Amino acid sequence: FFGYTGKRNTDGVNNLGFRTWQKFPYRKAKDEFVIGTFGGSFAQQLIDDNDAVKTLNYLIFAAVQNKGYTKITHINLSESAWRQPQQHHAFVHYLKDVDLAITIDGFNEVVSIDNHLAINYPIEFPNSGIWLPLLKSTFDANRIKKMAKIFASYESSERSGRWLEHSAVRVSMVPHLFWHLQLKRNLTQVAALRKELGEGAQWENYNVTPETEEEKSKMIEDYFASYEQWVSNAHALAQANGKSSFHFIQPNQYVKLSKEFSEEEQTQFLSNEKLGAAVVASYPRLDQMVDKLSENGVRIYSLKDVFKDVKRTVYRDDCCHIGPYGNQIVARAIAHKILESGVLGPARPHALGE
């Protein structure tokens, strides 16, 4: 139903494969306000950041505690590389268990419609690098091991970054130098593995290749139309069930003029030309979607400029992911939009930054 989730009951992953301590089905208490966050790895790493979650929960709780709630719980319902309609499926299934649903996506959706995937692979299917091997496709064991090494490299960089940001030695130059060397090594390894995987890709199981540029353009536009419909349907479903739902388009470093980059970001985190081209080509289409759905009453917002006035390093790879400092900014921006809407009731002035 979801395409895939993580390996169950391992290292912080629950019984249904989500990176969260709560077991499913989750039964909330009467005085408990539950937030569920849906999306891909950007959403997952935000909810994986305890400090960012504490900030978001604290600000939201300022608006709901006068309704009889005495505690607030945040559940991760996102998964690495998920793209619509995967999070929509999760949204439909788990909406009953939450009071507030937050969806954060956009990047995985636009990079799934670049020329390679639009020609060779159904763009509404789950990520090919994860899903196809699970189907016992034509990929051999060696290819699957290379995929695993890519994810392990990202996880290693993320762990080291979290440790450095929150440790007592974060002001020392030596740990920073060590982290940069490790990050450079990991990114070099990932780039080499990506190249090898791209050269060995096989897609013969799927006969979806459009014969003309016009057919390809229609395939992409059909996906965007479906994307809009999934977001709109989620909003309508939430309203029909007395729930609050908010949708956010995630920021990305390849969106033009979205940030004044640090030297570190300029030299290390802006080098993926393929991803950059996909973002430049398709993020304007997401702007159109936000404008259209907002006019129809859907609570959808773009965070593409959330780092516009931030000069220090926020991004931590050449893809889309951010570190703890960026997570704090995103958490506050999300909370502010939710509180500003008034759907949860009046918030304390400090929660709105007044």
Side-chain angles (χ1 to χ4, degrees), residues 55-56 59-60 330-340 352:
T55 296
L56 182 55
L59 295 174
I60 296 299
V330 169
R332 291 179 180 275
I334 288 174
H336 191 277
K337 287 296 184 184
I338 293 172
L339 297 175
E340 192 177 48
L352 287 170

Side-chain angles (χ1 to χ4, degrees), residues 44-106:
Q44 186 182 69
Q45 54 110 51
L46 177 69
I47 306 308
D48 221 19
D49 186 327
N50 290 331
D51 290 338
V53 170
K54 287 178 181 177
T55 296
L56 182 55
N57 287 356
Y58 172 76
L59 295 174
I60 296 299
F61 191 61
V64 301
Q65 62 179 333
N66 60 355
K67 297 182 180 181
Y69 295 106
T70 63
K71 63 179 179 178
I72 189 167
T73 299
H74 209 127
I75 300 178
N76 172 48
L77 292 161
S78 57
E79 182 57 75
S80 293
W82 266 14
R83 63 172 182 253
Q84 295 283 10
Q86 284 174 280
Q87 52 262 43
H88 181 66
H89 295 160
F91 183 100
V92 171
H93 188 70
Y94 289 112
L95 180 64
K96 65 183 185 303
D97 300 319
V98 305
D99 299 292
L100 169 63
I102 299 172
T103 301
I104 311 170
D105 61 20

Side-chain angles (χ1 to χ4, degrees), residues 223-338:
Y223 177 77
F224 270 120
S226 296
Y227 187 4
E228 286 185 9
Q229 193 62 55
W230 293 320
V231 177
S232 181
N233 288 349
H235 175 79
L237 184 64
Q239 283 196 315
N241 286 273
K243 310 285 187 175
S244 299
S245 174
F246 290 80
H247 197 112
F248 296 90
I249 301 300
Q250 70 191 74
N252 187 264
Q253 64 261 52
Y254 297 108
V255 176
K256 290 185 176 180
L257 303 178
S258 61
K259 187 181 184 301
E260 185 175 340
F261 296 108
S262 68
E263 182 179 353
E264 179 183 19
E265 289 172 321
Q266 291 180 36
T267 57
Q268 298 189 47
F269 305 144
L270 292 167
S271 58
N272 195 314
E273 295 180 1
K274 181 180 177 182
L275 295 181
V279 168
V280 169
S282 295
Y283 254 64
R285 181 63 177 79
L286 296 183
D287 291 338
Q288 297 173 18
M289 181 177 76
V290 170
D291 292 341
K292 176 182 176 181
L293 293 179
S294 295
E295 290 178 0
N296 294 332
V298 177
R299 299 186 191 95
I300 181 171
Y301 309 90
S302 176
L303 298 175
K304 68 174 187 177
D305 294 323
V306 72
F307 302 132
K308 199 171 188 65
D309 299 321
V310 179
K311 295 183 179 180
R312 62 181 279 188
T313 297
V314 166
Y315 292 98
R316 61 176 178 80
D317 61 24
D318 66 348
C319 168
C320 55
H321 302 105
I322 59 178
Y325 182 66
N327 285 336
Q328 280 289 334
I329 296 173
V330 169
R332 291 179 180 275
I334 288 174
H336 191 277
K337 287 296 184 184
I338 293 172

